[in-house]
Structure formats: structure tokens, C-alpha cells
Amino acid sequence: MHLLDIYEIAKKAGIPAEYVEPYGKLKAKVDMKYFDKIKDRPDGKLVLVTAITPTKAGEGKTTTSVALAEGFGQIGQKAMLCLREPSLGPVFGIKGGATGGGKVTVEPTEDINLHFTGDMHALTSSINLISAVIDNSIYQGNPLRIDPERVVWKRAMDMNDRALRDVDVALEDPKGTPRRDHFVITVASEMMAIMCLAKDEDDFLKRLSDIIVAFDLDGKPITVKDLQITHAIMRLMRDALKPNLVQTSENNPALIHGGPFANIAHGCNSVIATKLGLKLAPIVVTEAGFGADLGAEKFLDIKCRAAGFKPDAIVMVATIRALKMHGGQPFEELANENVEALKKGVCNLKRHLENMGKYDVPMIIAINHFASDSKAEIEYLESWCKEEGYEVSFLDGFLEGGKGAVDLAKKVQKMLKEKESHYHPIYELDRPLKEKINTICREIYRAGEVIYTEKAEQQLAEYEKLGFGDAYICMAKTPQSVTDDAKILGAPSGFPITIREVNLSAGARFVIPLTGKILTMPGLPKVPAAVKMEDMPWRE
């Protein structure tokens, strides 16, 4: 692999050198001033890559996104890849990285997976500055009359550390007020959400100012603006708001910026980077985290609506291995042919396709090919797709790079030319909060009953009273199932789903219903990816 200097990549992308802020030779920030130069250009086409419900068998959504961008390069079609930044939590936890795989990667892979350009550090520092100022205000005579029992802002770190989910603070402080506090992983924080939803620096500042961090002794909300630290945070976040420019393994430009989780946040890269991509290229390829019931729903119902984007195509990623798991075949036996399990498991693919069809955006199925896929299995899946009326492409990007995704690139290119998107969200913002939550649970998850705890009912009533009845809904749910129970595979329907509590992200302008046992600070697996790195060289 031969990587080009970042100035050469910028030139290919159409970004003049004076707007490139290099971080070494292979990565750079793009100066926000460049937006003023290109604001009147027409937008390109927006292609979303999403997937079936993820399994241990692997689906390869990011790998497909990179492969599709490489495939466009192979056929001479200029395209821009826009992805999320990886979180250190999964990198050292259970996933081990998020920059593609095989011959379709974004580079420099290790830099991107680790410190990159410091965006995560800026976010974490900003989040914890707010917490420090809240507790200092309480310590210094509490001039804002903060109710210590109603501090809703949580501390953060970009690492999976279950021991920090619930902590006690100010225990040995004679002037402080001991209280229970909490940590979230940085990528699930409201600060990450507003960074990724903000259209520009001014929008970010407004959203930052609106964040509710606590309530006073009279029950009135206290915001970041009340803490008088918005300009301090803007100084911390100034560079983090600039999109990051890198390259694929075949030297195609890529913008990687922002990285909210999709199971406990909205799961999409930044609006700023996507806006830039749409001005620079006739086609933008982006992805949304986890399955289509989470990332894609939030992309279509939150990000596109907040940013004014109109998606032009959806690529639904699946593998025969994963579909067989949804059909009941054990993980250890997936290399064995099992057409019957595939027939049963294809229901999960069908469910996600039906759900995405409700948004009226043209779709294509992308099947990541594995060596264990048998001829009979491939023939059955191709026949099923044809009978259901869906275009399908089998791709080998992992092994062959862009050449393995030429068929997919040609079919997406053709679809963009011949089919028109009639995109619309599945709920209207002016509907009551519970009605919007119920719509997602019933239309996307296919729940039969939505159960609200007393706490959730009280919170929803309070948020509507505060004027957030028109907020977006950002569901927090297990990604391993279309239900709120991670153990249930396939495509069940009619099940009950429980909303145990609801958080408010005032700056992001959405409420976050927490379902089942979902947590906002993940833990590490028994053998973390960090331990597996022990036998890997850390220097060349």
C-alpha cells in the first residue's frame, strides 16, 4: 500500500492547500473558512450504507462503505466517503477498530483508531469542564441555587469502564455537597451529539448554550450559558469542529468526523463533514451505526431532518453467515452449508428492507461475500432478492479492494440516475413525545405494546412542560435485536418493549428513551481487544 501526502489527497478532493491544516503527512483538518467559498455549489447525491441486525458472524457495514467508495474510484466516478471517528472504548474493548478491513480501509488506520487529531480529547475535556464548574459552583456558595440531587450532566471518558457508571463525589470535602454522580462514554454524550448535529460554529455555540446541566431548588433548568463557560468550551472545541481529511487504501479522499454510538446516541458522522462532502463530490457515501432499526432510523428521522439533507439511496448490507445465525444456526457451524437456516434468517433482512421502504428512498442489497458461502446458498439468496423485487450485489471488497465492489458501484450509480428519492421521515415533530416514541417502537421495532415506567411518564411530562414536546426521538436500545432483549434474533413482532426512563438532550433537541437494560457506559469483555494486542508489534 502506498499512501499519498495529505496535500495530494486534498487536491484530489478539490480543497485548496491554504485551507488544509496538516496533522503530520497523512491527515489534516479542513479550515471552516472554506465553506464560504463553496456554499453556492449544488449538493451531490447522498448514499446511506446501513445493515441488518448485527451478529457475531459479522456484516461489514463500514467495510462495504469503504469498498463502495473504492468501487466508484475504479469506474472513474468521483465520490467522497464520510464516516464516523472510532471510539477508544470499542477499539480496546470488543470490536478492535472501525476503519474497514482487508483491502478496503481508511488510512492511517492506527492513527484514526487511536488519538487521531484530538477530537475525542477536546470533547472529553469540554464535558468534564462543565462537571467541574457545576461542582465548584455548589462548593463556592451555590449562587445558582443548584439542587445537588438534580444535577443531570454526567462526566465522561472515551473508554469502557463499568466501574464508573455510578460514583459518589465530594465525599471528603467539608464545604462540598456529597452526591451520586455518573460517567458516560464520550461518544454517548450530548456534547458529541451537538458537535455532530451543528451546521457550523455559530450553531454549535447556540446548542452548547442550550444544554441543560441541572435544575435549581425551584425546579427551573440551569444551562451551560448560566455557568458562563461557553467561550471557554468554544476554545477547547474550536479545532475539533473542523472536519478531518484522510484517504482510503486506494488513495481516495475520506472525511472522518464525529462518532456518536448508534445504540445510545444518534450514530451518524457530523453534519459539517457531510455538508462539505456534498459540496466537493457528486456522490457522498456515508454510514450509520449498527442495524437499520437504530443508526439508519436516526439518520433518516434526526440527522437528515436537522440538516436539511435528502438521502438519494440506501445500501442494505448483509452476509449469508449472519442471516444463517438469525435463522438459528450456531456460530460455530456457520462454515457449513445450511440453506434452511438461511431461509429462516432472511426474515431479518426483509424486516429492515420493509422498514427502510417506509421512508421512500431507493434501495439496493449488498451481500458481503465469504469463502464459506455455498453455491446453493448464494443461488437461494439471489432468487429471494429477485422475487422480493430488490436489486442485489455480491461484493468482495475485503479480498479484492475496489475491484471487488465495481458491480455494487455500477448498480448504485445506475440507481441514482434512474430512481428518484421521495424521502420523508416516519413521524412529525409536532406530535406528542409518547406518540413519536410509540411510532418508532411499532413501525420500526414492530412492538405490540410500549410500556412506560412511572419515572419515564413523569420525565416526558416534565420535558413537554419545559417546551421540548417538538424534540426528536433518539432511542437507546440493544443493537443485537430488533427487540429490547439482546438474546432474541430474527424478526419477531408483537412483543412488549419497556421505556424505563427518558433523558433530555436540550442542545441536541432530542429526548433519549432508555429501553430494556441498555447502558450509557459500556463495560469491557472478558478478554478485551487491548489484551489481544499484547503480541502485536507497537512499532515498525
mmCIF file of all heavy atoms in Angstrom, residues 465-493:
data_model
loop_
_atom_site.group_PDB
_atom_site.id
_atom_site.type_symbol
_atom_site.label_atom_id
_atom_site.label_comp_id
_atom_site.label_asym_id
_atom_site.label_seq_id
_atom_site.Cartn_x
_atom_site.Cartn_y
_atom_site.Cartn_z
ATOM 1 N N LYS A 465 -43.560 20.079 29.366
ATOM 2 C CA LYS A 465 -43.839 21.314 30.098
ATOM 3 C C LYS A 465 -42.725 22.340 29.893
ATOM 4 O O LYS A 465 -42.967 23.555 29.848
ATOM 5 C CB LYS A 465 -43.998 21.006 31.588
ATOM 6 C CG LYS A 465 -44.477 22.187 32.424
ATOM 7 C CD LYS A 465 -44.697 21.773 33.869
ATOM 8 C CE LYS A 465 -45.161 22.959 34.713
ATOM 9 N NZ LYS A 465 -45.366 22.570 36.138
ATOM 10 N N LEU A 466 -41.469 21.856 29.740
ATOM 11 C CA LEU A 466 -40.322 22.742 29.518
ATOM 12 C C LEU A 466 -40.245 23.251 28.078
ATOM 13 O O LEU A 466 -39.381 24.063 27.752
ATOM 14 C CB LEU A 466 -39.021 22.004 29.862
ATOM 15 C CG LEU A 466 -38.739 21.770 31.352
ATOM 16 C CD1 LEU A 466 -37.546 20.825 31.521
ATOM 17 C CD2 LEU A 466 -38.483 23.091 32.075
ATOM 18 N N GLY A 467 -41.113 22.745 27.212
ATOM 19 C CA GLY A 467 -41.124 23.218 25.828
ATOM 20 C C GLY A 467 -40.404 22.334 24.843
ATOM 21 O O GLY A 467 -40.080 22.768 23.722
ATOM 22 N N PHE A 468 -40.171 21.063 25.219
ATOM 23 C CA PHE A 468 -39.452 20.147 24.326
ATOM 24 C C PHE A 468 -40.370 19.090 23.714
ATOM 25 O O PHE A 468 -39.923 18.015 23.311
ATOM 26 C CB PHE A 468 -38.301 19.474 25.083
ATOM 27 C CG PHE A 468 -37.188 20.428 25.434
ATOM 28 C CD1 PHE A 468 -37.151 21.042 26.676
ATOM 29 C CD2 PHE A 468 -36.211 20.741 24.505
ATOM 30 C CE1 PHE A 468 -36.146 21.944 27.001
ATOM 31 C CE2 PHE A 468 -35.206 21.646 24.812
ATOM 32 C CZ PHE A 468 -35.166 22.246 26.068
ATOM 33 N N GLY A 469 -41.644 19.408 23.626
ATOM 34 C CA GLY A 469 -42.575 18.465 23.017
ATOM 35 C C GLY A 469 -42.295 18.203 21.553
ATOM 36 O O GLY A 469 -42.663 17.165 21.010
ATOM 37 N N ASP A 470 -41.608 19.175 20.882
ATOM 38 C CA ASP A 470 -41.306 19.007 19.458
ATOM 39 C C ASP A 470 -39.920 18.408 19.218
ATOM 40 O O ASP A 470 -39.393 18.477 18.104
ATOM 41 C CB ASP A 470 -41.411 20.345 18.737
ATOM 42 C CG ASP A 470 -40.406 21.379 19.253
ATOM 43 O OD1 ASP A 470 -39.772 21.128 20.301
ATOM 44 O OD2 ASP A 470 -40.242 22.427 18.596
ATOM 45 N N ALA A 471 -39.347 17.798 20.251
ATOM 46 C CA ALA A 471 -37.996 17.239 20.134
ATOM 47 C C ALA A 471 -37.975 15.976 19.271
ATOM 48 O O ALA A 471 -38.989 15.288 19.108
ATOM 49 C CB ALA A 471 -37.438 16.914 21.521
ATOM 50 N N TYR A 472 -36.796 15.684 18.712
ATOM 51 C CA TYR A 472 -36.577 14.412 18.028
ATOM 52 C C TYR A 472 -36.531 13.288 19.070
ATOM 53 O O TYR A 472 -36.275 13.526 20.249
ATOM 54 C CB TYR A 472 -35.245 14.422 17.272
ATOM 55 C CG TYR A 472 -35.135 15.476 16.208
ATOM 56 C CD1 TYR A 472 -34.426 16.653 16.435
ATOM 57 C CD2 TYR A 472 -35.731 15.298 14.965
ATOM 58 C CE1 TYR A 472 -34.310 17.627 15.454
ATOM 59 C CE2 TYR A 472 -35.621 16.264 13.976
ATOM 60 C CZ TYR A 472 -34.913 17.430 14.223
ATOM 61 O OH TYR A 472 -34.815 18.397 13.251
ATOM 62 N N ILE A 473 -36.709 12.072 18.607
ATOM 63 C CA ILE A 473 -36.616 10.905 19.477
ATOM 64 C C ILE A 473 -35.341 10.148 19.131
ATOM 65 O O ILE A 473 -35.144 9.743 17.977
ATOM 66 C CB ILE A 473 -37.832 9.958 19.306
ATOM 67 C CG1 ILE A 473 -39.148 10.730 19.511
ATOM 68 C CG2 ILE A 473 -37.715 8.777 20.262
ATOM 69 C CD1 ILE A 473 -39.311 11.361 20.866
ATOM 70 N N CYS A 474 -34.465 9.964 20.115
ATOM 71 C CA CYS A 474 -33.212 9.224 19.912
ATOM 72 C C CYS A 474 -33.233 7.999 20.818
ATOM 73 O O CYS A 474 -32.832 8.061 21.985
ATOM 74 C CB CYS A 474 -32.010 10.125 20.229
ATOM 75 S SG CYS A 474 -30.408 9.367 19.882
ATOM 76 N N MET A 475 -33.713 6.889 20.283
ATOM 77 C CA MET A 475 -33.912 5.680 21.085
ATOM 78 C C MET A 475 -32.583 5.069 21.540
ATOM 79 O O MET A 475 -31.607 5.053 20.791
ATOM 80 C CB MET A 475 -34.687 4.642 20.277
ATOM 81 C CG MET A 475 -36.075 5.072 19.847
ATOM 82 S SD MET A 475 -37.236 5.306 21.206
ATOM 83 C CE MET A 475 -37.402 3.638 21.826
ATOM 84 N N ALA A 476 -32.580 4.563 22.766
ATOM 85 C CA ALA A 476 -31.437 3.810 23.288
ATOM 86 C C ALA A 476 -31.891 2.369 23.480
ATOM 87 O O ALA A 476 -32.753 2.091 24.318
ATOM 88 C CB ALA A 476 -30.939 4.408 24.603
ATOM 89 N N LYS A 477 -31.327 1.478 22.658
ATOM 90 C CA LYS A 477 -31.799 0.083 22.619
ATOM 91 C C LYS A 477 -30.648 -0.841 22.264
ATOM 92 O O LYS A 477 -29.695 -0.431 21.593
ATOM 93 C CB LYS A 477 -32.923 -0.058 21.587
ATOM 94 C CG LYS A 477 -33.529 -1.449 21.472
ATOM 95 C CD LYS A 477 -34.581 -1.508 20.377
ATOM 96 C CE LYS A 477 -33.974 -1.518 18.994
ATOM 97 N NZ LYS A 477 -33.248 -2.775 18.686
ATOM 98 N N THR A 478 -30.733 -2.081 22.692
ATOM 99 C CA THR A 478 -29.708 -3.042 22.299
ATOM 100 C C THR A 478 -29.609 -3.133 20.780
ATOM 101 O O THR A 478 -30.637 -3.154 20.079
ATOM 102 C CB THR A 478 -30.004 -4.446 22.859
ATOM 103 O OG1 THR A 478 -29.009 -5.370 22.370
ATOM 104 C CG2 THR A 478 -31.371 -4.947 22.444
ATOM 105 N N PRO A 479 -28.380 -3.187 20.229
ATOM 106 C CA PRO A 479 -28.240 -3.336 18.778
ATOM 107 C C PRO A 479 -28.344 -4.789 18.316
ATOM 108 O O PRO A 479 -28.461 -5.050 17.129
ATOM 109 C CB PRO A 479 -26.829 -2.796 18.517
ATOM 110 C CG PRO A 479 -26.077 -3.085 19.784
ATOM 111 C CD PRO A 479 -27.092 -2.945 20.894
ATOM 112 N N GLN A 480 -28.299 -5.733 19.256
ATOM 113 C CA GLN A 480 -28.257 -7.149 18.890
ATOM 114 C C GLN A 480 -29.616 -7.753 18.531
ATOM 115 O O GLN A 480 -29.704 -8.914 18.173
ATOM 116 C CB GLN A 480 -27.635 -7.961 20.034
ATOM 117 C CG GLN A 480 -26.114 -8.041 19.955
ATOM 118 C CD GLN A 480 -25.458 -6.775 20.482
ATOM 119 O OE1 GLN A 480 -25.862 -6.259 21.523
ATOM 120 N NE2 GLN A 480 -24.450 -6.288 19.799
ATOM 121 N N SER A 481 -30.670 -6.973 18.660
ATOM 122 C CA SER A 481 -32.003 -7.483 18.388
ATOM 123 C C SER A 481 -32.904 -6.334 17.975
ATOM 124 O O SER A 481 -32.672 -5.181 18.354
ATOM 125 C CB SER A 481 -32.582 -8.168 19.640
ATOM 126 O OG SER A 481 -33.934 -8.536 19.454
ATOM 127 N N VAL A 482 -33.946 -6.640 17.199
ATOM 128 C CA VAL A 482 -34.931 -5.605 16.895
ATOM 129 C C VAL A 482 -35.811 -5.335 18.114
ATOM 130 O O VAL A 482 -36.520 -4.334 18.172
ATOM 131 C CB VAL A 482 -35.817 -5.987 15.686
ATOM 132 C CG1 VAL A 482 -34.988 -6.085 14.420
ATOM 133 C CG2 VAL A 482 -36.576 -7.281 15.939
ATOM 134 N N THR A 483 -35.756 -6.212 19.114
ATOM 135 C CA THR A 483 -36.483 -6.036 20.367
ATOM 136 C C THR A 483 -35.563 -5.334 21.372
ATOM 137 O O THR A 483 -34.450 -4.935 21.036
ATOM 138 C CB THR A 483 -36.911 -7.392 20.942
ATOM 139 O OG1 THR A 483 -35.777 -8.048 21.530
ATOM 140 C CG2 THR A 483 -37.490 -8.293 19.863
ATOM 141 N N ASP A 484 -36.023 -5.211 22.632
ATOM 142 C CA ASP A 484 -35.138 -4.666 23.673
ATOM 143 C C ASP A 484 -34.459 -5.772 24.462
ATOM 144 O O ASP A 484 -33.879 -5.527 25.520
ATOM 145 C CB ASP A 484 -35.918 -3.727 24.614
ATOM 146 C CG ASP A 484 -37.082 -4.413 25.321
ATOM 147 O OD1 ASP A 484 -37.392 -5.573 24.988
ATOM 148 O OD2 ASP A 484 -37.698 -3.776 26.210
ATOM 149 N N ASP A 485 -34.500 -7.000 23.929
ATOM 150 C CA ASP A 485 -33.827 -8.152 24.535
ATOM 151 C C ASP A 485 -32.757 -8.650 23.578
ATOM 152 O O ASP A 485 -33.058 -9.156 22.489
ATOM 153 C CB ASP A 485 -34.856 -9.271 24.804
ATOM 154 C CG ASP A 485 -34.245 -10.477 25.515
ATOM 155 O OD1 ASP A 485 -33.008 -10.611 25.547
ATOM 156 O OD2 ASP A 485 -35.029 -11.301 26.031
ATOM 157 N N ALA A 486 -31.487 -8.513 23.960
ATOM 158 C CA ALA A 486 -30.359 -8.817 23.078
ATOM 159 C C ALA A 486 -30.310 -10.274 22.631
ATOM 160 O O ALA A 486 -29.653 -10.598 21.638
ATOM 161 C CB ALA A 486 -29.046 -8.448 23.775
ATOM 162 N N LYS A 487 -31.002 -11.154 23.322
ATOM 163 C CA LYS A 487 -30.920 -12.580 23.010
ATOM 164 C C LYS A 487 -31.871 -13.016 21.893
ATOM 165 O O LYS A 487 -31.765 -14.126 21.377
ATOM 166 C CB LYS A 487 -31.220 -13.396 24.277
ATOM 167 C CG LYS A 487 -30.194 -13.187 25.391
ATOM 168 C CD LYS A 487 -30.574 -13.972 26.634
ATOM 169 C CE LYS A 487 -29.577 -13.724 27.765
ATOM 170 N NZ LYS A 487 -29.965 -14.457 29.004
ATOM 171 N N ILE A 488 -32.785 -12.138 21.510
ATOM 172 C CA ILE A 488 -33.801 -12.521 20.528
ATOM 173 C C ILE A 488 -33.354 -12.134 19.118
ATOM 174 O O ILE A 488 -33.233 -10.954 18.800
ATOM 175 C CB ILE A 488 -35.163 -11.867 20.853
ATOM 176 C CG1 ILE A 488 -35.634 -12.311 22.240
ATOM 177 C CG2 ILE A 488 -36.189 -12.222 19.789
ATOM 178 C CD1 ILE A 488 -36.930 -11.659 22.683
ATOM 179 N N LEU A 489 -33.107 -13.143 18.270
ATOM 180 C CA LEU A 489 -32.685 -12.894 16.889
ATOM 181 C C LEU A 489 -33.878 -12.962 15.944
ATOM 182 O O LEU A 489 -35.021 -13.073 16.373
ATOM 183 C CB LEU A 489 -31.600 -13.910 16.494
ATOM 184 C CG LEU A 489 -30.301 -13.868 17.306
ATOM 185 C CD1 LEU A 489 -29.346 -14.959 16.841
ATOM 186 C CD2 LEU A 489 -29.637 -12.509 17.203
ATOM 187 N N GLY A 490 -33.592 -12.884 14.648
ATOM 188 C CA GLY A 490 -34.649 -12.976 13.659
ATOM 189 C C GLY A 490 -35.448 -11.702 13.531
ATOM 190 O O GLY A 490 -34.905 -10.595 13.611
ATOM 191 N N ALA A 491 -36.767 -11.840 13.354
ATOM 192 C CA ALA A 491 -37.639 -10.682 13.152
ATOM 193 C C ALA A 491 -38.968 -10.887 13.871
ATOM 194 O O ALA A 491 -40.025 -10.976 13.248
ATOM 195 C CB ALA A 491 -37.869 -10.458 11.664
ATOM 196 N N PRO A 492 -38.935 -10.938 15.198
ATOM 197 C CA PRO A 492 -40.186 -11.121 15.943
ATOM 198 C C PRO A 492 -41.072 -9.882 15.858
ATOM 199 O O PRO A 492 -40.614 -8.802 15.477
ATOM 200 C CB PRO A 492 -39.700 -11.343 17.381
ATOM 201 C CG PRO A 492 -38.382 -10.637 17.446
ATOM 202 C CD PRO A 492 -37.768 -10.805 16.082
ATOM 203 N N SER A 493 -42.314 -10.030 16.222
ATOM 204 C CA SER A 493 -43.242 -8.892 16.261
ATOM 205 C C SER A 493 -44.253 -9.134 17.368
ATOM 206 O O SER A 493 -44.406 -10.256 17.860
ATOM 207 C CB SER A 493 -43.950 -8.720 14.912
ATOM 208 O OG SER A 493 -44.667 -9.896 14.578
#
